Amino acid sequence: MLISPPTLDDDGCAKAWAGSGAMHLTGPASGVPSVSPAGIVRPLLGLGDALASATGRLGAAVRVDALALAVQRAAFTGFGRNGSRSAGGYAQMVRARDGWVALNLPRPSDTEALPALVGAAVPAGDWIEIESRIGSMTGREVVQQGSELGLALSAVGATPVPPQPWSVRCERGLRPRRGRTPVVVDLTSLWAGPLAGGLLAEAGCRVVKVESVLRPDGARRGPARFFDLLNGRKEPVSLDLPAPGAVDELRQLIGRADLVLEASRPRVMQQWGICPDQVVEAGTAWVSITGHGRRGPHRNRIAFGDDAAASGGLVVVGDPPMFVGDAIADPIAGLAAAGVAADLLSRDRAALAEVPLAGGAAWARGQAGNEIERPVVPHGSGWAVELSDGPVPVGRPAVPDRLATPPTATG
């Protein structure tokens, strides 16, 4: 499946960017919101069009407001722009000796690991000293050491631009469905994977959301309405993972599925004795959302949406760089994963598809084109972008009623 971003001039991108709420989340915390990343509108709309096409072939075309999806979490949380700190507040830009690093610390244990990151017995809360010591390390050293500690961090712009936001290999024939509704087992959590599963549910798939009793979806700790938006149309199943009996139940669920959505590091499935390649050989498609890919030296690195976007170079260029939107690699990967999953199901193909957060962000950056510059001026109590046909107010993220418009049956 190929993605063809729409032909949209810079004014059209700036207008859509300003109105979507994404611009409200981008730029300095107490300054002017940034219009420069508005070209990201093109690849986001392209992903939305690809999803509609693939789900249409599956039987019910799902049409989304791709820009609204990209800001939906902030609509529930009330996040605003924070400049070189992420909208959610956990990630920040830190200067290394040879460039900038995005360091994400969403868990208490991440902060506790900072002395080990810099290789010194300094208090974990002494940020001035931590920052100084990171400044004496190269970006590569920071990422290598941090990855070994299980931290989510990346050098800005380190991920090359791929030709597509996904890769597909090991294609086989899907086991015959004989007219029944496609069954999807959703093993994902947080945002990107649950978004993909929610969109497949909108397309009419039967989506079974599997959670561990001991480690349920971390999104449950956030706004309940956001969690329900992503997961409300799925069938919930709780398993006592990783207990052997629960792993056997999971294998049985996978064995009856047409497609598996998964977003763990490869070693997790290895520990459970589940091999995605063998699942595909048996006729079940597997779509894996990763931080930095399933293969190669970065296969077991963790990533979240903000640090992954920075790795893909999807930032507002500056000194320091600033984050774009809210964890924007998540909705990009979620849309991409839903699209490639629907494409495989519509063609009755089993395959191992992977959608890396960082790679998807890098692809979107490449498709966005050059930075867009338009005047941004005060407008009432907020801001507006001045375009040739008049000013466009910078809107705030709007709380959505559902993920997609009601699907259109295609026969």
Side-chain angles (χ1 to χ4, degrees), residues 272-313:
W272 293 353
I274 296 173
C275 176
D277 290 311
Q278 292 175 358
V279 171
V280 170
E281 285 284 351
T284 295
W286 190 290
V287 177
S288 180
I289 300 173
T290 66
H292 298 272
R294 290 185 58 83
R295 293 172 289 175
H298 303 296
R299 63 187 179 277
N300 282 313
R301 279 178 65 187
I302 68 167
F304 300 110
D306 289 304
D307 53 279
S311 184

Short mmCIF file of all heavy atoms in Angstrom, two decimals, residues 272-313:
data_model
loop_
_atom_site.label_atom_id
_atom_site.label_comp_id
_atom_site.label_asym_id
_atom_site.label_seq_id
_atom_site.Cartn_x
_atom_site.Cartn_y
_atom_site.Cartn_z
N TRP A 272 7.88 -15.23 26.34
CA TRP A 272 6.63 -15.96 26.43
C TRP A 272 6.56 -17.12 25.44
O TRP A 272 5.56 -17.84 25.39
CB TRP A 272 5.45 -15.01 26.17
CG TRP A 272 5.27 -13.98 27.24
CD1 TRP A 272 5.93 -13.91 28.44
CD2 TRP A 272 4.36 -12.87 27.22
NE1 TRP A 272 5.49 -12.82 29.16
CE2 TRP A 272 4.52 -12.17 28.45
CE3 TRP A 272 3.42 -12.41 26.31
CZ2 TRP A 272 3.79 -11.03 28.76
CZ3 TRP A 272 2.69 -11.28 26.62
CH2 TRP A 272 2.87 -10.60 27.83
N GLY A 273 7.62 -17.29 24.66
CA GLY A 273 7.63 -18.38 23.69
C GLY A 273 6.71 -18.17 22.51
O GLY A 273 6.27 -19.14 21.87
N ILE A 274 6.41 -16.92 22.19
CA ILE A 274 5.55 -16.59 21.05
C ILE A 274 6.42 -15.98 19.97
O ILE A 274 7.09 -14.96 20.20
CB ILE A 274 4.42 -15.63 21.47
CG1 ILE A 274 3.50 -16.30 22.49
CG2 ILE A 274 3.62 -15.18 20.24
CD1 ILE A 274 2.46 -15.37 23.08
N CYS A 275 6.42 -16.59 18.80
CA CYS A 275 7.25 -16.13 17.69
C CYS A 275 6.36 -15.53 16.60
O CYS A 275 5.59 -16.26 15.97
CB CYS A 275 8.07 -17.29 17.12
SG CYS A 275 9.04 -16.83 15.67
N PRO A 276 6.43 -14.23 16.37
CA PRO A 276 5.60 -13.61 15.34
C PRO A 276 5.75 -14.25 13.96
O PRO A 276 4.77 -14.39 13.23
CB PRO A 276 6.05 -12.16 15.33
CG PRO A 276 6.54 -11.91 16.73
CD PRO A 276 7.18 -13.22 17.13
N ASP A 277 6.96 -14.65 13.61
CA ASP A 277 7.17 -15.29 12.29
C ASP A 277 6.36 -16.58 12.18
O ASP A 277 5.77 -16.87 11.13
CB ASP A 277 8.66 -15.58 12.07
CG ASP A 277 9.48 -14.32 11.86
OD1 ASP A 277 9.07 -13.49 11.04
OD2 ASP A 277 10.53 -14.17 12.51
N GLN A 278 6.33 -17.35 13.25
CA GLN A 278 5.56 -18.59 13.22
C GLN A 278 4.06 -18.31 13.18
O GLN A 278 3.29 -19.04 12.54
CB GLN A 278 5.91 -19.44 14.44
CG GLN A 278 7.33 -19.98 14.43
CD GLN A 278 7.68 -20.73 15.71
OE1 GLN A 278 6.89 -20.81 16.65
NE2 GLN A 278 8.91 -21.26 15.76
N VAL A 279 3.63 -17.25 13.87
CA VAL A 279 2.22 -16.86 13.82
C VAL A 279 1.83 -16.51 12.39
O VAL A 279 0.76 -16.91 11.90
CB VAL A 279 1.97 -15.67 14.77
CG1 VAL A 279 0.56 -15.11 14.58
CG2 VAL A 279 2.17 -16.10 16.22
N VAL A 280 2.69 -15.77 11.70
CA VAL A 280 2.42 -15.41 10.31
C VAL A 280 2.41 -16.65 9.42
O VAL A 280 1.55 -16.80 8.55
CB VAL A 280 3.47 -14.39 9.81
CG1 VAL A 280 3.35 -14.17 8.31
CG2 VAL A 280 3.29 -13.06 10.55
N GLU A 281 3.34 -17.57 9.65
CA GLU A 281 3.38 -18.81 8.87
C GLU A 281 2.07 -19.58 9.00
O GLU A 281 1.62 -20.24 8.06
CB GLU A 281 4.54 -19.69 9.34
CG GLU A 281 5.92 -19.21 8.90
CD GLU A 281 6.21 -19.51 7.44
OE1 GLU A 281 5.42 -20.24 6.82
OE2 GLU A 281 7.22 -19.00 6.93
N ALA A 282 1.44 -19.47 10.17
CA ALA A 282 0.19 -20.19 10.41
C ALA A 282 -1.02 -19.47 9.82
O ALA A 282 -2.15 -19.97 9.91
CB ALA A 282 -0.01 -20.39 11.91
N GLY A 283 -0.81 -18.26 9.26
CA GLY A 283 -1.91 -17.57 8.58
C GLY A 283 -2.52 -16.41 9.33
O GLY A 283 -3.61 -15.96 8.97
N THR A 284 -1.84 -15.88 10.36
CA THR A 284 -2.33 -14.72 11.10
C THR A 284 -1.38 -13.55 10.87
O THR A 284 -0.17 -13.70 11.04
CB THR A 284 -2.43 -15.01 12.61
OG1 THR A 284 -3.41 -16.02 12.82
CG2 THR A 284 -2.82 -13.78 13.40
N ALA A 285 -1.93 -12.41 10.48
CA ALA A 285 -1.09 -11.22 10.28
C ALA A 285 -0.65 -10.66 11.63
O ALA A 285 -1.33 -10.82 12.64
CB ALA A 285 -1.86 -10.17 9.49
N TRP A 286 0.49 -10.01 11.62
CA TRP A 286 1.07 -9.45 12.86
C TRP A 286 1.56 -8.05 12.55
O TRP A 286 2.42 -7.85 11.69
CB TRP A 286 2.23 -10.32 13.33
CG TRP A 286 2.76 -9.99 14.71
CD1 TRP A 286 3.47 -8.88 15.07
CD2 TRP A 286 2.62 -10.78 15.89
NE1 TRP A 286 3.79 -8.93 16.41
CE2 TRP A 286 3.27 -10.09 16.94
CE3 TRP A 286 2.01 -12.00 16.17
CZ2 TRP A 286 3.33 -10.58 18.24
CZ3 TRP A 286 2.07 -12.49 17.47
CH2 TRP A 286 2.73 -11.79 18.49
N VAL A 287 1.02 -7.05 13.25
CA VAL A 287 1.45 -5.66 13.09
C VAL A 287 2.08 -5.22 14.40
O VAL A 287 1.42 -5.19 15.44
CB VAL A 287 0.27 -4.75 12.70
CG1 VAL A 287 0.74 -3.30 12.62
CG2 VAL A 287 -0.32 -5.18 11.36
N SER A 288 3.35 -4.89 14.33
CA SER A 288 4.13 -4.57 15.52
C SER A 288 4.50 -3.09 15.52
O SER A 288 5.13 -2.60 14.58
CB SER A 288 5.40 -5.43 15.53
OG SER A 288 6.19 -5.15 16.66
N ILE A 289 4.08 -2.38 16.55
CA ILE A 289 4.46 -0.98 16.73
C ILE A 289 5.64 -0.95 17.70
O ILE A 289 5.53 -1.42 18.83
CB ILE A 289 3.29 -0.15 17.27
CG1 ILE A 289 2.11 -0.20 16.29
CG2 ILE A 289 3.72 1.30 17.51
CD1 ILE A 289 0.85 0.46 16.82
N THR A 290 6.76 -0.43 17.25
CA THR A 290 7.98 -0.42 18.06
C THR A 290 8.47 1.01 18.23
O THR A 290 7.95 1.94 17.61
CB THR A 290 9.09 -1.24 17.37
OG1 THR A 290 9.47 -0.57 16.15
CG2 THR A 290 8.62 -2.65 17.05
N GLY A 291 9.48 1.16 19.07
CA GLY A 291 10.11 2.47 19.20
C GLY A 291 11.03 2.77 18.05
O GLY A 291 10.94 3.81 17.39
N HIS A 292 11.95 1.82 17.78
CA HIS A 292 12.99 2.05 16.78
C HIS A 292 13.19 0.84 15.87
O HIS A 292 14.26 0.68 15.30
CB HIS A 292 14.31 2.40 17.48
CG HIS A 292 14.24 3.66 18.29
ND1 HIS A 292 14.48 4.91 17.77
CD2 HIS A 292 13.92 3.86 19.60
CE1 HIS A 292 14.34 5.82 18.73
NE2 HIS A 292 14.01 5.21 19.84
N GLY A 293 12.18 -0.02 15.72
CA GLY A 293 12.28 -1.18 14.83
C GLY A 293 12.49 -2.48 15.58
O GLY A 293 13.01 -2.49 16.70
N ARG A 294 12.09 -3.57 14.95
CA ARG A 294 12.21 -4.90 15.56
C ARG A 294 13.58 -5.53 15.38
O ARG A 294 13.91 -6.49 16.06
CB ARG A 294 11.17 -5.85 14.94
CG ARG A 294 9.73 -5.56 15.29
CD ARG A 294 8.82 -6.65 14.72
NE ARG A 294 9.20 -7.95 15.23
CZ ARG A 294 8.80 -8.45 16.41
NH1 ARG A 294 8.01 -7.72 17.19
NH2 ARG A 294 9.18 -9.64 16.79
N ARG A 295 14.34 -5.03 14.44
CA ARG A 295 15.63 -5.64 14.14
C ARG A 295 16.75 -4.62 14.31
O ARG A 295 16.51 -3.42 14.35
CB ARG A 295 15.62 -6.20 12.72
CG ARG A 295 14.67 -7.38 12.54
CD ARG A 295 14.55 -7.80 11.09
NE ARG A 295 13.79 -6.81 10.32
CZ ARG A 295 13.61 -6.86 9.02
NH1 ARG A 295 14.15 -7.83 8.31
NH2 ARG A 295 12.90 -5.93 8.39
N GLY A 296 17.98 -5.10 14.39
CA GLY A 296 19.11 -4.20 14.50
C GLY A 296 19.45 -3.85 15.94
O GLY A 296 18.82 -4.33 16.89
N PRO A 297 20.44 -2.99 16.12
CA PRO A 297 20.94 -2.70 17.47
C PRO A 297 19.96 -1.97 18.36
O PRO A 297 20.14 -1.93 19.58
CB PRO A 297 22.18 -1.83 17.20
CG PRO A 297 21.94 -1.22 15.84
CD PRO A 297 21.18 -2.26 15.08
N HIS A 298 18.90 -1.37 17.79
CA HIS A 298 17.97 -0.58 18.59
C HIS A 298 16.66 -1.31 18.85
O HIS A 298 15.69 -0.71 19.29
CB HIS A 298 17.68 0.75 17.89
CG HIS A 298 18.90 1.58 17.61
ND1 HIS A 298 19.68 2.09 18.62
CD2 HIS A 298 19.48 1.95 16.44
CE1 HIS A 298 20.69 2.76 18.08
NE2 HIS A 298 20.60 2.68 16.77
N ARG A 299 16.62 -2.62 18.59
CA ARG A 299 15.35 -3.35 18.64
C ARG A 299 14.73 -3.39 20.04
O ARG A 299 13.52 -3.51 20.16
CB ARG A 299 15.53 -4.77 18.11
CG ARG A 299 16.48 -5.65 18.91
CD ARG A 299 16.73 -6.98 18.21
NE ARG A 299 17.66 -7.82 18.96
CZ ARG A 299 18.97 -7.72 18.89
NH1 ARG A 299 19.52 -6.79 18.10
NH2 ARG A 299 19.76 -8.51 19.59
N ASN A 300 15.54 -3.31 21.07
CA ASN A 300 14.98 -3.37 22.43
C ASN A 300 14.99 -2.02 23.14
O ASN A 300 14.80 -1.96 24.35
CB ASN A 300 15.71 -4.42 23.26
CG ASN A 300 15.25 -5.84 22.93
OD1 ASN A 300 14.05 -6.10 22.85
ND2 ASN A 300 16.20 -6.74 22.72
N ARG A 301 15.21 -0.95 22.37
CA ARG A 301 15.08 0.39 22.95
C ARG A 301 13.61 0.73 23.16
O ARG A 301 12.77 0.40 22.33
CB ARG A 301 15.70 1.44 22.03
CG ARG A 301 17.20 1.57 22.11
CD ARG A 301 17.69 2.61 21.12
NE ARG A 301 17.21 3.96 21.44
CZ ARG A 301 17.42 5.00 20.63
NH1 ARG A 301 18.05 4.83 19.47
NH2 ARG A 301 16.97 6.19 20.98
N ILE A 302 13.31 1.38 24.26
CA ILE A 302 11.95 1.85 24.44
C ILE A 302 11.83 3.27 23.90
O ILE A 302 12.83 3.99 23.74
CB ILE A 302 11.51 1.80 25.91
CG1 ILE A 302 12.27 2.83 26.75
CG2 ILE A 302 11.69 0.42 26.49
CD1 ILE A 302 11.68 3.05 28.11
N ALA A 303 10.61 3.66 23.60
CA ALA A 303 10.37 5.01 23.10
C ALA A 303 8.94 5.39 23.41
O ALA A 303 8.05 4.54 23.45
CB ALA A 303 10.63 5.09 21.59
N PHE A 304 8.73 6.67 23.64
CA PHE A 304 7.41 7.25 23.73
C PHE A 304 7.27 8.28 22.62
O PHE A 304 8.23 8.59 21.92
CB PHE A 304 7.17 7.86 25.11
CG PHE A 304 7.29 6.87 26.24
CD1 PHE A 304 8.36 6.91 27.13
CD2 PHE A 304 6.34 5.88 26.41
CE1 PHE A 304 8.47 6.00 28.17
CE2 PHE A 304 6.44 4.95 27.45
CZ PHE A 304 7.50 5.01 28.32
N GLY A 305 6.09 8.84 22.49
CA GLY A 305 5.81 9.66 21.32
C GLY A 305 6.67 10.89 21.17
O GLY A 305 7.02 11.28 20.05
N ASP A 306 7.05 11.54 22.28
CA ASP A 306 7.82 12.77 22.17
C ASP A 306 9.28 12.52 21.81
O ASP A 306 9.83 13.18 20.92
CB ASP A 306 7.72 13.55 23.48
CG ASP A 306 6.34 14.15 23.71
OD1 ASP A 306 5.87 14.89 22.84
OD2 ASP A 306 5.73 13.86 24.75
N ASP A 307 9.93 11.60 22.51
CA ASP A 307 11.34 11.34 22.20
C ASP A 307 11.48 10.69 20.83
O ASP A 307 12.46 10.93 20.11
CB ASP A 307 12.00 10.48 23.28
CG ASP A 307 11.24 9.20 23.57
OD1 ASP A 307 10.26 9.26 24.33
OD2 ASP A 307 11.60 8.15 23.03
N ALA A 308 10.49 9.86 20.43
CA ALA A 308 10.55 9.24 19.11
C ALA A 308 10.39 10.29 18.01
O ALA A 308 11.08 10.23 16.97
CB ALA A 308 9.45 8.18 18.98
N ALA A 309 9.50 11.26 18.21
CA ALA A 309 9.35 12.33 17.22
C ALA A 309 10.64 13.12 17.09
O ALA A 309 11.06 13.48 15.97
CB ALA A 309 8.20 13.25 17.62
N ALA A 310 11.31 13.38 18.21
CA ALA A 310 12.58 14.10 18.16
C ALA A 310 13.63 13.29 17.42
O ALA A 310 14.42 13.83 16.63
CB ALA A 310 13.05 14.42 19.58
N SER A 311 13.65 11.97 17.64
CA SER A 311 14.59 11.12 16.92
C SER A 311 14.36 11.20 15.41
O SER A 311 15.30 11.20 14.62
CB SER A 311 14.44 9.66 17.38
OG SER A 311 15.40 8.83 16.76
N GLY A 312 13.09 11.30 15.02
CA GLY A 312 12.76 11.45 13.61
C GLY A 312 12.97 12.84 13.06
O GLY A 312 12.72 13.09 11.88
N GLY A 313 13.44 13.76 13.89
CA GLY A 313 13.68 15.12 13.44
C GLY A 313 12.42 15.95 13.33
O GLY A 313 12.46 17.06 12.78
#
